Amino acid sequence: MKISYNWLKQFIKLDWDAEKTGDLLTDLGLEIEGIEDFVSIKGGLKGVVVGNVIECEQHPNADRLKVAKVDIGTHGIVQIVCGAPNIAINQKVPVATIGTTLYDENGSPWKIKKGKIRGEESHGMICAEDELGLGKNHEGIMVLNNDLIPGTLCSTIFNIENDQVFEIGLTPNRADAMSHWGVARDLKAGLLRNNVSLELITPSNSSFRVENRTHKIDVQVDKNHLAPRYCGVTISGIKVIESPQWLQNRLKAIGLTPINNIVDITNYVLHELGQPLHAFDSSKISGDKVVVKTVKKGTKFTTLDGLERELHEDDLMICDIEKPMCIAGVFGGIDSGVTDVTESIFLESAYFNPVSIRKTAKRHGLNTDASFRFERGIDPNITEYALMRASLLITEIAGGEITSDVVDIYPKKIKDHQVILNFENTTNLIGEEIPRETIKEILTSLEIKINNVTEAGLGMTIPAYRNDVTREADVIEEILRVYGYNNIQFTEKLKASISSNQIVEDYQIQNKISNQLTALGFHEMMGNSLTSPKYIELSDNLSSNHNVKMLNPLSNDLSIMRQSMLFNALEALIYNVNRKNSNVKLFEFGKTYHNFKEGRQEPKHLSIIVSGLKNNENWTQNSQKSNFFYFKGIVSALLERLGITYFSETETKNPIFSEGLAHQIGDKCLVDYGIITKNIASNFNIDSEVFYADFKWDNILEQIVTENFKLKTIPKFPKVKRDLALLLDKNVSFDSIRESAIKSERNLLKNINLFDVYTGDKLPENKKSYAISFTLQDEKKTLTDKQIDKIMKKLQQNFEKDFGAMLR
């Protein structure tokens, strides 16, 4: 938000420099992000002087050019080639000397240089008013007052305003500071803490008079809860022209483009007092009646930007008896605004429901100065005051007279807030005791009324414009920011206690897994919990009936909470691929959001996604594409790192995978992983194979048991390895073989490894061959051949019994 220092000084006569004032505003919580210089005429006419034309002759080589000799004072007499038709001897003219920087209509700089024009030297430029930024006329050079002395700086002749503009990083809760008046209020409170007492000057409306009552516009508010207060007045006999220079300068300083005197005044009052206004051409109000209401869903309405919009049934509209004229508090209509031929206006000032305005603005993708203020909450008590202020400015600048009484529909007054402050709580929250008299002085300077004082605390009335101050903690924050955060003393001791809690926290487990994944070459990502409803259609296990919808979405693409973390991962993957990073390994901890019949649920997940090569290209090793078994190894390593080694393995039923596995304990799934279907990948324009795993983190946490480390010595007795080559049916999995072997020998069987799989035409139909190694070890003695043979025979018999296996 931009605040003009000159404008601010209209409210509070302060002689501090801008930097010192900016420091105080920052201490008050209105952080100054920068201070810019503003000059009403760009460049400040630096290098432009008064010249006297002492000779003027026809250019020998050009019919439309003339060669002039110009006296520019101390710089002597210079020759300038000029093409203006109105140049003549004895004229006083503005001359841009060599080295002067001028600016074109787009604000781009260009420098005056010595040169030749059609063979004649030219040492400067005689300027038209548009070339100096003094007007728009370019029909000829600017002729000055003949009494001026050659060489006089033009910057001393014209009224050039120099200003400094604060760029304030306004926090969303500070709706009260969205104007110069609001900033001045805070500044006054801050100055009092610095022993500087200055009066806050407010514009006077004492001269407001109704000249006659010849043009009344009736007002009807059908939706009082959406428009708690609505004011209006009619002004007739106005003349729409360009605004005076002082008004244009105020608007230009804060980055606004002047339009005409009426629109400029409404913008001026908005930034002066924080009250948005809107002016309607009263001749375009059918039936001389304004109706504040909602309209039917789907009603077409064309706004000032020329776009036809489809209205929602909850959009509050300002209408006449026939049609909508304006989206209340957001944007005007193209057919009801002020034009160059407007002679009479209906001026609106209102307080609209902040939530309603915010939803309407988001629905239509609009962000205007008016909606910015309305949706944060303005002061409901200055609605009429601001209307009268603008009316007086209009009659002063645009002429005309006030031709109706002020209409003020305010059926239910918005009350001030009542808050009780406890002194002890104040000290505890701040960490330092502030004198009670100081507290009362600060609150009074903030226009907070103290109703009663006791030994324990204060009873207060908070003005309605401070809609962010509703609790005791809010009041304490107000006291602290005016008292000064920098004035709070810090102790040199740091007190802390050491926790003896044996419970392993979720974040600790996440850190452990994050460290392992980063060691494997993964990068952590953070996806947006808001997503597009179109993604729900990509998977059969997701349903739009379970969507958690946003009430006021930023856009349709961010209108629901995600039901799956897959689509965030795919968005991140294609983002990287499009930027020539095709070898992607990403992981994310997060939640999904579901609206089930039994209630809303937010389960936690860990998602990992892999695509491209296992490792980046390197001269020491060949590039290898990521494959399912590589990805399975990553999943298994993570489970092992978590201490989860015993689980069942089945084929996943999740339709997002073309093939994959699921690990579960009992009926609780730990992880689904596999290859994403080509249909889903193609929706993100991904051509490569994508591997994805979805860890059900809540189920994972249930399986983690906190145990102390157990140390044991390395066994003295050797391991023995034996191999079996088994002929099996194709539908028999290695997991089932492993489980059968463990049941057969739990004590001495230490490891089972599948080291070869063969399927070929030399085997019977629907058969395959597994080559499996079994590692045996007794930690107390050396195994004998008799023991080993007995175990291997038992394994073989169980394989034959359970799976119909045969030794090859």
Side-chain angles (χ1 to χ4, degrees):
M1 183 183 74
K2 293 183 183 294
I3 292 293
S4 158
Y5 198 20
N6 287 350
W7 198 343
L8 194 62
K9 288 177 181 177
Q10 291 179 200
F11 293 101
I12 193 161
K13 301 296 184 183
L14 182 63
D15 58 1
W16 288 7
D17 60 50
E19 287 75 15
K20 187 176 180 180
T21 302
D23 289 341
L24 178 56
L25 289 173
T26 297
D27 289 342
L28 289 167
L30 302 178
E31 184 180 358
I32 302 300
E33 297 177 341
I35 302 175
E36 297 178 354
D37 291 325
F38 169 78
V39 183
S40 58
I41 299 173
K42 195 161 187 178
L45 300 181
K46 187 177 181 180
V48 182
V49 299
V50 175
N52 181 30
V53 181
I54 57 177
E55 290 184 20
C56 184
E57 298 178 354
Q58 185 67 41
H59 193 295
N61 302 316
D63 294 338
R64 296 187 178 182
L65 297 178
K66 292 179 181 178
V67 180
K69 295 287 179 69
V70 184
D71 178 7
I72 56 172
T74 56
H75 295 284
I77 297 173
V78 295
Q79 178 173 294
I80 298 176
V81 177
C82 179
N86 64 327
I87 186 170
I89 296 175
N90 294 327
Q91 283 179 335
K92 298 292 174 63
V93 293
V95 177
T97 56
I98 293 172
T100 299
T101 299
L102 298 179
Y103 297 85
D104 63 20
E105 59 183 7
N106 298 317
S108 300
W110 55 286
K111 187 173 285 189
I112 302 296
K113 298 178 181 179
K114 176 183 175 181
K116 282 189 176 183
I117 302 176
R118 295 289 184 91
E120 294 293 325
E121 288 190 358
S122 185
H123 296 261
M125 175 179 172
I126 302 174
C127 303
E129 65 176 42
D130 66 329
E131 293 165 334
L132 297 176
L134 294 168
K136 298 180 180 179
N137 193 325
H138 192 71
E139 294 179 359
I141 60 171
M142 191 174 187
V143 180
L144 305 176
N145 190 318
N146 209 40
D147 295 334
L148 293 173
I149 300 172
T152 302
L153 297 176
C154 286
S155 58
T156 63
I157 300 170
F158 297 100
N159 184 22
I160 300 175
E161 182 173 355
N162 292 284
D163 196 359
Q164 288 172 295
V165 180
F166 300 111
E167 182 66 47
I168 297 180
L170 195 67
T171 52
N173 64 307
R174 292 303 308 276
D176 63 295
M178 293 188 296
S179 65
H180 288 75
W181 189 20
V183 173
R185 271 191 311 234
D186 252 24
L187 186 57
K188 179 188 175 185
L191 289 168
L192 282 173
R193 286 296 306 149
N194 285 269
N195 299 316
V196 179
S197 180
L198 293 175
E199 180 187 0
L200 184 63
I201 303 167
T202 54
S204 173
N205 287 342
S206 60
S207 60
F208 182 88
R209 298 285 186 276
V210 179
E211 305 294 337
N212 60 64
R213 294 172 174 79
T214 57
H215 193 177
K216 181 184 177 184
I217 301 288
D218 293 323
V219 176
Q220 175 184 320
V221 179
D222 291 346
K223 300 285 184 178
N224 287 115
H225 65 290
L226 299 181
R229 187 174 190 184
Y230 191 92
C231 298
V233 70
T234 305
I235 305 171
S236 303
I238 62 168
K239 187 176 182 181
V240 180
I241 55 174
E242 189 177 81
S243 295
Q245 199 60 48
W246 70 265
L247 179 53
Q248 292 192 40
N249 289 344
R250 288 286 177 264
L251 298 180
K252 288 177 181 178
I254 59 173
L256 298 183
T257 302
I259 298 172
N260 60 52
N261 52 1
I262 304 300
V263 175
D264 291 350
I265 288 169
T266 61
N267 285 331
Y268 178 83
V269 173
L270 181 149
H271 289 276
E272 180 186 50
L273 303 177
Q275 172 66 56
L277 304 166
H278 190 75
F280 298 90
D281 187 329
S282 64
S283 66
K284 299 175 182 177
I285 300 176
S286 298
D288 281 345
K289 185 174 184 177
V290 168
V291 183
V292 184
K293 63 178 183 178
T294 55
V295 296
K296 289 182 180 179
K297 181 178 181 179
T299 300
K300 304 294 184 183
F301 180 70
T302 304
T303 45
L304 278 171
D305 54 5
L307 294 179
E308 184 179 74
R309 303 176 187 275
E310 192 171 292
L311 299 178
H312 188 272
E313 66 266 25
D314 293 331
D315 291 338
L316 186 66
M317 303 297 296
I318 310 300
C319 309
D320 58 22
I321 63 172
E322 295 178 353
K323 62 188 181 298
M325 300 187 295
C326 173
I327 303 177
V330 180
F331 211 23
I334 198 168
D335 296 324
S336 61
V338 174
T339 65
D340 292 342
V341 297
T342 298
E343 295 181 351
S344 177
I345 62 168
F346 174 76
L347 188 61
E348 165 197 278
S349 178
Y351 175 87
F352 296 118
N353 182 287
V355 175
S356 171
I357 298 300
R358 182 168 63 251
K359 289 181 179 180
T360 295
K362 297 300 182 187
R363 267 194 294 268
H364 296 289
L366 293 168
N367 183 21
T368 61
D369 282 340
S371 68
F372 179 81
R373 285 158 177 79
F374 277 128
E375 64 190 29
R376 284 161 176 78
I378 61 170
D379 184 358
N381 294 322
I382 66 163
T383 309
E384 184 182 32
Y385 170 76
L387 180 72
M388 297 169 73
R389 165 70 171 155
S391 299
L392 288 173
L393 286 172
I394 289 172
T395 55
E396 175 188 336
I397 294 171
E401 57 184 8
I402 298 169
T403 52
S404 75
D405 290 316
V406 172
V407 176
D408 186 4
I409 299 177
Y410 195 14
K412 187 177 180 181
K413 184 177 175 60
I414 297 173
K415 296 181 179 179
D416 295 337
H417 318 300
Q418 303 296 320
V419 177
I420 295 174
L421 176 70
N422 183 280
F423 291 131
E424 185 178 351
N425 291 344
T426 304
T427 301
N428 291 338
L429 196 56
I430 292 176
E432 181 178 309
E433 185 173 0
I434 298 176
R436 296 182 180 185
E437 284 304 314
T438 302
I439 290 175
K440 289 189 280 187
E441 288 172 5
I442 290 172
L443 293 175
T444 303
S445 71
L446 291 171
E447 299 183 0
I448 294 174
K449 183 181 178 183
I450 299 174
N451 300 323
N452 55 75
V453 183
T454 66
E455 278 299 312
L458 304 172
M460 299 161 295
T461 299
I462 314 296
Y465 66 80
R466 291 308 307 270
N467 54 41
D468 61 317
V469 182
T470 57
R471 306 167 301 165
E472 180 185 46
D474 299 328
V475 176
I476 296 172
E477 183 182 358
E478 290 298 296
I479 294 169
L480 182 55
R481 72 179 181 86
V482 177
Y483 182 77
Y485 291 96
N486 296 332
N487 294 325
I488 302 298
Q489 302 299 315
F490 292 90
T491 60
E492 295 181 357
K493 294 181 179 180
L494 178 64
K495 298 178 181 180
S497 59
I498 300 174
S499 173
S500 60
N501 191 355
Q502 298 297 317
I503 298 174
V504 179
E505 299 289 347
D506 182 7
Y507 75 90
Q508 295 175 312
I509 304 297
Q510 289 189 26
N511 287 342
K512 181 190 294 186
I513 294 303
S514 296
N515 290 337
Q516 175 145 344
L517 284 167
T518 52
L520 292 170
F522 281 77
H523 291 87
E524 186 170 7
M525 61 166 281
M526 295 182 68
N528 196 338
S529 296
L530 299 176
T531 190
S532 171
K534 66 183 181 183
Y535 290 153
I536 302 299
E537 302 169 5
L538 299 180
S539 177
D540 293 337
N541 68 330
L542 303 178
S543 170
S544 59
N545 294 328
H546 300 153
N547 282 342
V548 177
K549 299 179 181 178
M550 300 301 294
L551 295 177
N552 55 335
L554 294 173
S555 68
N556 192 50
D557 287 338
L558 297 172
S559 60
I560 65 167
M561 305 289 282
R562 64 184 176 188
Q563 289 192 48
S564 171
M565 295 174 65
L566 168 64
F567 307 115
N568 292 105
L570 292 173
E571 287 175 340
L573 171 60
I574 192 60
Y575 183 89
N576 279 270
V577 170
N578 289 341
R579 285 154 182 79
K580 307 301 180 183
N581 179 26
S582 55
N583 304 324
V584 178
K585 297 178 182 178
L586 300 171
F587 72 95
E588 179 187 7
F589 288 97
K591 292 181 178 181
T592 57
Y593 305 86
H594 312 268
N595 190 14
F596 296 129
K597 286 184 178 179
E598 56 271 23
R600 293 181 177 176
Q601 296 182 13
E602 299 180 16
K604 298 177 182 177
H605 298 260
L606 163 63
S607 70
I608 63 175
I609 191 167
V610 170
S611 184
L613 303 178
K614 293 181 184 178
N615 299 296
N616 290 329
E617 295 180 3
N618 192 293
W619 67 275
T620 62
Q621 59 185 0
N622 294 327
S623 299
Q624 291 183 326
K625 284 187 175 182
S626 301
N627 56 46
F628 178 78
F629 294 103
Y630 164 71
F631 191 64
K632 181 181 179 182
I634 294 172
V635 173
S636 300
L638 293 179
L639 291 174
E640 186 176 346
R641 185 72 179 89
L642 291 165
I644 302 173
T645 55
Y646 296 103
F647 47 79
S648 62
E649 183 179 279
T650 59
E651 187 175 346
T652 182
K653 296 180 181 178
N654 195 325
I656 66 173
F657 300 113
S658 57
E659 55 182 291
L661 296 174
H663 295 336
Q664 58 189 60
I665 295 177
D667 61 348
K668 292 194 174 181
C669 180
L670 301 178
V671 57
D672 274 327
Y673 63 98
I675 304 171
I676 296 299
T677 64
K678 290 184 178 179
N679 177 51
I680 292 177
S682 63
N683 274 275
F684 292 83
N685 298 317
I686 299 172
D687 299 325
S688 57
E689 203 168 38
V690 180
F691 304 94
Y692 177 75
D694 179 16
F695 289 82
K696 323 300 182 187
W697 196 249
D698 293 312
N699 294 343
I700 294 280
L701 293 176
E702 288 179 12
Q703 302 304 320
I704 296 175
V705 179
T706 304
E707 293 183 353
N708 295 325
F709 286 102
K710 292 182 180 179
L711 303 177
K712 59 181 181 179
T713 59
I714 298 174
K716 297 179 181 180
F717 303 99
K719 295 179 181 178
V720 177
K721 185 179 284 187
R722 291 288 186 268
D723 299 338
L724 290 179
L726 301 175
L727 185 66
L728 300 158
D729 292 339
K730 279 190 173 181
N731 61 356
V732 177
S733 67
F734 172 68
D735 188 56
S736 59
I737 295 288
R738 186 172 65 87
E739 288 184 4
S740 177
I742 292 171
K743 288 179 183 178
S744 300
E745 180 53 60
R746 293 186 181 274
N747 296 325
L748 301 180
L749 185 59
K750 302 300 182 182
N751 188 42
I752 308 162
N753 182 46
L754 175 65
F755 63 88
D756 187 44
V757 178
Y758 174 73
T759 56
D761 54 7
K762 295 181 180 180
L763 297 179
E765 189 177 356
N766 293 323
K767 294 288 184 178
K768 63 182 176 181
S769 174
Y770 274 0
I772 306 173
S773 67
F774 301 87
T775 302
L776 306 171
Q777 185 181 41
D778 190 333
E779 297 179 1
K780 297 179 181 180
K781 62 183 178 180
T782 301
L783 288 171
T784 65
D785 289 341
K786 186 176 180 180
Q787 286 177 296
I788 296 169
D789 291 341
K790 182 179 179 181
I791 293 171
M792 296 306 297
K793 186 175 181 180
K794 185 178 179 182
L795 289 172
Q796 180 183 338
Q797 289 173 346
N798 285 341
F799 293 154
E800 290 173 353
K801 178 183 175 182
D802 294 342
F803 310 110
M806 295 175 62
L807 284 180
R808 290 188 67 198

